[in-house]
Amino acid sequence: MQEVCLPDWQAAGVRLLVKRDDLIHPLVSGNKWRKLKYNISEAQTQQQDTLLTFGGAYSNHLLATAAAGAAYGFKTIGIIRGGPFDNPSKVLQKLMELDMQLHYVSRSAYRLKKEPDFIAKLTNRFGRFYLLPEGGSNDLAVKGCTEILDNLPLVPDFVACACGTGATIAGLSVSASKNTTVVAVPVLKGASFLEQDIGELLTSYASLKEAMLPPYQPIQFEYQYHGGGYAKAPAYLLDFIKDFMAQTGIPIEPVYTGKLFYALHDLLRKGFFLEGSTVLAIHTGPTIGLV
Ligand SMILES: *Cc1c(COP(=O)(O)O)cnc(C)c1O
C-alpha cells in the first residue's frame, strides 16, 4: 500500500492510498491473479490438465491464464472473440509465445459462451478441460478477491475499484469492514447489469462456503465515468492519465485504472469525500496488453 500526495487531495484534507496489486507479477497481475488463484487449486484437485477460457484480443485475463497455466503445468486454450487478425495484438502474440492454443470464433458464436450446447461442442473438440468463464469471474474468483484487503494496516473510510464483470468488487464488498464504503467505477457503458451479476456471484460464493450469503457491504456504483464505453479513451482522460503518472510515478491505463483515478479525482472535486477521510484505491493491474 502506497500513499499518494497530490495537491488537490491535500487541500481537501483527504488521504489517498493505493493498493498496488499491479505489482504482483509481470503477466499474472492484479485482480487477474486473485481471480485465478483458487481456480488453479480447484483444477489441480480435479486433476485437470487443461484450462479453457474466453476473451478478446486485448484481454488481461487471457494473458494471466496463459502465463499461470504455463507456470503451473497446464495446457491452455483461449476462445478468442473475432479474428484471426492480420495484425495480432501484443496480447495475442504473447499468448502464442506462452503456448496457449488459440481458437477464433465469430462475435455471434462468442455470445453463446455460457450455453451448455456451445460448451458441449468445445468438449467434443478439445476433450476434458477446466472451464474459466470470461474474465475468470466465478465464485472462486470472488473468494480470491476477498483477500485483496487482507493485512491492511488501517481501515479505510472508502475502498474504490474499477469494475468490469464485478467479481473483484464483489470480493471487496464481502471483505470490507462495516465502516468502509465500497465504491465501484464501472468501465462499460450501460453497466446496470452489474447489480444482478454481482448478486449472482455473491450467492454462488456463499454456496461455495456452504454458508448463508455472507454479510457484505452495499456497493455504491458511480456509473458516470465510463468515458464513452469499454476501452474508449477521450482526450480529457488521456490528459488526466498523463498528469497523474507524472505526479505520482504510478502507471495507469485508459481501460480500467485511468477511469478509476479519474473518477476519484472528480468525486473529490465534488466534495464526495469528507475532510479527514481515507480513500483506498485498488490498483487492479498494469498496462500490459491494454490499448
Ligand atoms: C479485468 C480487470 C478489471 C475488472 O475486474 P472485474 O472483476 O471483471 O470487475 C479491473 N482492472 C483491471 C486492470 C483488469 O484487468
Side-chain angles (χ1 to χ4, degrees):
M1 195 175 80
Q2 174 180 352
E3 178 147 16
V4 168
C5 297
L6 291 168
D8 292 358
W9 292 78
Q10 280 169 331
V14 181
R15 284 178 80 191
L16 176 60
L17 303 160
V18 183
K19 177 80 198 310
R20 297 292 306 274
D21 262 21
D22 57 317
L23 301 176
I24 288 177
H25 181 275
L27 296 176
V28 195
S29 184
N31 68 344
K32 298 303 181 280
W33 166 243
R34 306 279 184 186
K35 290 159 100 174
L36 278 169
K37 177 179 164 187
Y38 288 105
N39 278 294
I40 287 185
S41 349
E42 178 60 21
Q44 286 170 332
T45 304
Q46 293 179 12
Q47 302 193 320
Q48 303 268 9
D49 60 11
T50 303
L51 307 176
L52 179 142
T53 193
F54 307 90
Y58 297 93
S59 165
N60 267 353
H61 163 65
L62 283 178
L63 190 59
T65 305
Y72 287 91
F74 291 95
K75 279 189 278 182
T76 55
I77 301 172
I79 309 300
I80 315 290
R81 183 181 61 228
F85 306 94
D86 292 338
N87 296 307
S89 67
K90 254 194 279 171
V91 168
L92 289 175
Q93 293 173 35
K94 199 78 201 168
L95 297 180
M96 292 184 255
E97 279 169 37
L98 290 162
D99 284 331
M100 178 177 258
Q101 184 180 345
L102 303 186
H103 180 66
Y104 299 95
V105 298
S106 68
R107 284 172 180 268
S108 52
Y110 188 86
R111 254 177 251 128
L112 305 173
K113 61 191 174 298
K114 289 185 182 162
E115 302 289 329
D117 277 2
F118 185 67
I119 309 286
K121 279 189 195 139
L122 293 173
T123 307
N124 284 340
R125 180 168 181 137
F126 298 111
R128 186 168 177 255
F129 52 74
Y130 184 86
L131 181 97
L132 289 159
E134 185 179 47
S137 297
N138 59 10
D139 41 15
L140 291 171
V142 173
K143 180 174 175 183
C145 290
T146 65
E147 296 177 354
I148 295 173
L149 299 178
D150 280 0
N151 305 318
L152 283 184
L154 54 79
V155 176
D157 298 299
F158 298 87
V159 62
C161 184
C163 195
T165 64
T168 307
I169 204 86
L172 292 170
S173 79
V174 173
S175 54
S177 138
K178 65 178 182 345
N179 299 318
T180 300
T181 302
V182 178
V183 180
V185 178
V187 302
L188 282 87
K189 196 165 152 177
S192 51
F193 65 86
L194 274 172
E195 290 171 56
Q196 184 178 345
D197 285 8
I198 290 171
E200 287 168 10
L201 280 167
L202 287 172
T203 307
S204 150
Y205 166 73
S207 63
L208 179 78
K209 298 184 66 176
E210 292 167 357
M212 297 294 287
L213 191 58
Y216 59 93
Q217 288 297 94
I219 299 169
Q220 175 144 355
F221 291 90
E222 295 296 332
Y223 284 113
Q224 64 276 37
Y225 299 109
H226 57 72
Y230 183 72
K232 295 276 188 316
Y236 67 81
L237 181 63
L238 296 175
D239 288 345
F240 171 80
I241 289 172
K242 224 164 61 191
D243 287 351
F244 181 89
M245 296 207 298
Q247 290 180 67
T248 64
I250 299 176
I252 56 174
E253 41 67 36
V255 183
Y256 292 107
T257 49
K259 288 179 182 174
L260 169 68
F261 284 100
Y262 180 84
L264 293 179
H265 163 86
D266 193 57
L267 290 169
L268 177 82
R269 207 171 49 81
K270 291 178 170 152
F272 183 89
F273 306 119
L274 292 182
E275 186 172 354
S277 59
T278 305
V279 179
L280 178 67
I282 308 301
H283 195 317
T284 38
T287 18
I288 298 174
L290 294 170
V291 203

